[in-house]
Each structure stands twice: as C-alpha cells, then as structure tokens.
Amino acid sequence: AQTVTQSQPEMSVQEAETVTLSCTYDTSESNYYLFWYKQPPSRQMILVIRQEAYKQQNATENRFSVNFQKAAKSFSLKISDSQLGDTAMYFCAFMKPNTGNQFYFGTGTSLTVIP
Amino acid sequence: DAGVIQSPRHEVTEMGQEVTLRCKPISGHNSLFWYRQTMMRGLELLIYFNNNVPIDDSGMPEDRFSAKMPNASFSTLKIQPSEPRDSAVYFCASSLAGTQYFGPGTRLLVL
C-alpha cells in the first residue's frame, strides 16, 4: 500500500512571507501522480497543484510551486508571498495510474497566515 | 461547468433514521469517490466507482452503509440506521484523467 506522510501538523507564516510544507511518500512505482489540495474553513477541497512523476520539471501555479525529489520520495509545497486567504488545511495526495484513480492522502498540515 | 454537486449540504437527523446523500459528478468523468472526514480519523475513502461499477468498498465502515451509482450522472450514499458516530462531513469527488474534483460536502449530524 502507498503511504503519504505530512510531518508538520501545524505551521504559521507571516503575511507576504514564504512557507514550505513537507510531504513524503512511500511507493515502489515509477509512474504516479502527486497533488496538493487546500481545504479552507469552508471545508471545500480545492486542487492547488499537480505533478506527474515522469516530469523532471517542478510544477508551478502562480504563487504555488513544488520541489519534487523523486529519488528521495519528497514532494514539498512552497507558497510565496503568503496571503490571508492561504490560511487552510493542506493535504498531499498520491495516485497510481491504472488503479481506478484511487488517491492516498496525508493527514494534512494546518497553515495559518498571520497578518 | 457546475462542478461536483452534492445534496443536501447539511443534514440533521436522529439516531436510527435513514440518511441518503446524493452526488452528481462532473459530466464526462468516469470515476466517482465517496469520502468521510472527521477530526479523529481525517479523510477516509469509503468507496469508489469506475464507469458506474463499484471497484473498492473496503472503506465502508459496516453494513449500515451502502452506495449506488445507477448511471454516470448520479450516485447515492445511504446510512441505515444512522448512529451518532456517523456524524461527519461526507465528500463526493469525480475524476477523468487522474485529478479528483471534490463537491462541497454534506455535513451530517446524527443526534
């Protein structure tokens, strides 16, 4: 079974600063997908970013970027210029293709952006 | 695109009552997932369907829970009889090419 570990239950960052959330995973697969989802107080699960394991280039989406280290099985999320609206729970997820698109989620990191 | 639609958004019921949660996936998506989220256990996958067929229901907690997907545009999750420990937020998600898109969730409170 795949496991996803988020070792930081809670983090905080000053507004406009940069913060990095950690995620590691365990798999014997070579082809897979990794995701970060954001869950604000509204409880809606929102896709932040997606990374295909076969791509060496790190994915970016505006202020959000990842540091994907395949050999180390690490997939961290960097949020630049943090905004108050970034306050949320962040979940890392792993998906192995051809298995019905089943996700394996980490336990989440609660991020608070301080004004 | 309306996204994944779930109803009701909130449900309050008494122990022993039947509860039915509904989900309409994004048109064209061929996979559908039901999750439960609680403070104690986090986000749990209950069951998922591919092309309307249940693939893995090992996450369904017990026989009181059942899920159906009669067609590509509708799924239900039923709890009968409901118990206070079923109180949680239930999410439905759909996907086509890997990425899962979540509905807004149904907040269930069983008294």
Side-chain angles (χ1 to χ4, degrees):
Chain A
Q2 329 304 319
T3 58
V4 178
T5 302
Q6 294 180 249
S7 58
Q8 305 151 314
E10 296 181 356
M11 294 189 71
S12 62
V13 62
Q14 208 70 34
E15 192 175 6
E17 297 295 308
T18 295
V19 65
T20 298
L21 309 184
S22 300
C23 174
T24 58
Y25 55 94
D26 184 23
T27 185
S28 58
E29 302 292 327
S30 60
N31 185 30
Y32 49 87
Y33 296 81
L34 296 162
F35 304 83
W36 279 98
Y37 281 84
K38 167 185 175 181
Q39 188 178 39
S42 67
R43 293 283 196 147
Q44 175 76 52
M45 290 282 282
I46 303 165
L47 175 69
V48 175
I49 202 163
R50 160 181 161 144
Q51 174 82 44
E52 290 86 351
Y54 63 85
K55 290 186 177 180
Q56 292 186 339
Q57 187 173 8
N58 288 325
T60 64
E61 284 290 341
N62 301 314
R63 298 182 295 107
F64 298 87
S65 61
V66 299
N67 183 7
F68 174 47
Q69 301 289 330
K70 191 171 184 179
K73 298 180 183 177
S74 171
F75 183 60
S76 60
L77 175 69
K78 185 172 82 170
I79 307 174
S80 304
D81 185 25
S82 297
Q83 300 177 359
L84 297 180
D86 296 333
T87 292
M89 195 76 167
Y90 287 81
F91 292 94
C92 178
F94 170 99
M95 189 202 81
K96 184 175 64 173
N98 303 321
T99 58
N101 298 334
Q102 182 178 358
F103 274 30
Y104 298 88
F105 282 93
T107 51
T109 295
S110 177
L111 176 67
T112 300
V113 179
I114 302 167
Chain B
D1 189 345
V4 176
I5 299 172
Q6 291 187 247
S7 64
R9 295 292 304 276
H10 302 274
E11 177 82 22
V12 180
T13 191
E14 292 187 346
M15 182 174 62
Q17 296 297 306
E18 177 180 295
V19 175
T20 299
L21 311 182
R22 298 173 176 78
C23 175
K24 177 178 169 56
I26 294 172
S27 178
H29 283 195
N30 61 353
S31 296
L32 183 139
F33 306 79
W34 282 102
Y35 292 90
R36 178 173 68 176
Q37 187 178 38
T38 62
M39 289 293 293
M40 291 296 293
R41 290 191 294 270
L43 196 61
E44 303 173 277
L45 176 65
L46 300 177
I47 185 171
Y48 71 96
F49 298 82
N50 270 2
N51 297 315
N52 313 338
V53 176
I55 302 301
D56 185 352
D57 66 353
S58 59
M60 296 285 262
E62 48 200 273
D63 292 345
R64 298 185 297 107
F65 286 68
S66 62
K68 294 182 180 179
M69 193 165 185
N71 56 62
S73 59
F74 184 66
S75 177
T76 59
L77 178 68
K78 186 175 293 186
I79 308 173
Q80 166 63 20
S82 58
E83 297 182 2
R85 59 191 167 127
D86 301 330
S87 297
V89 179
Y90 290 81
F91 288 101
C92 175
S94 70
S95 73
L96 175 61
T99 301
Q100 289 189 18
Y101 296 90
F102 284 74
T106 294
R107 189 182 294 264
L108 173 65
L109 177 61
V110 183
L111 302 174

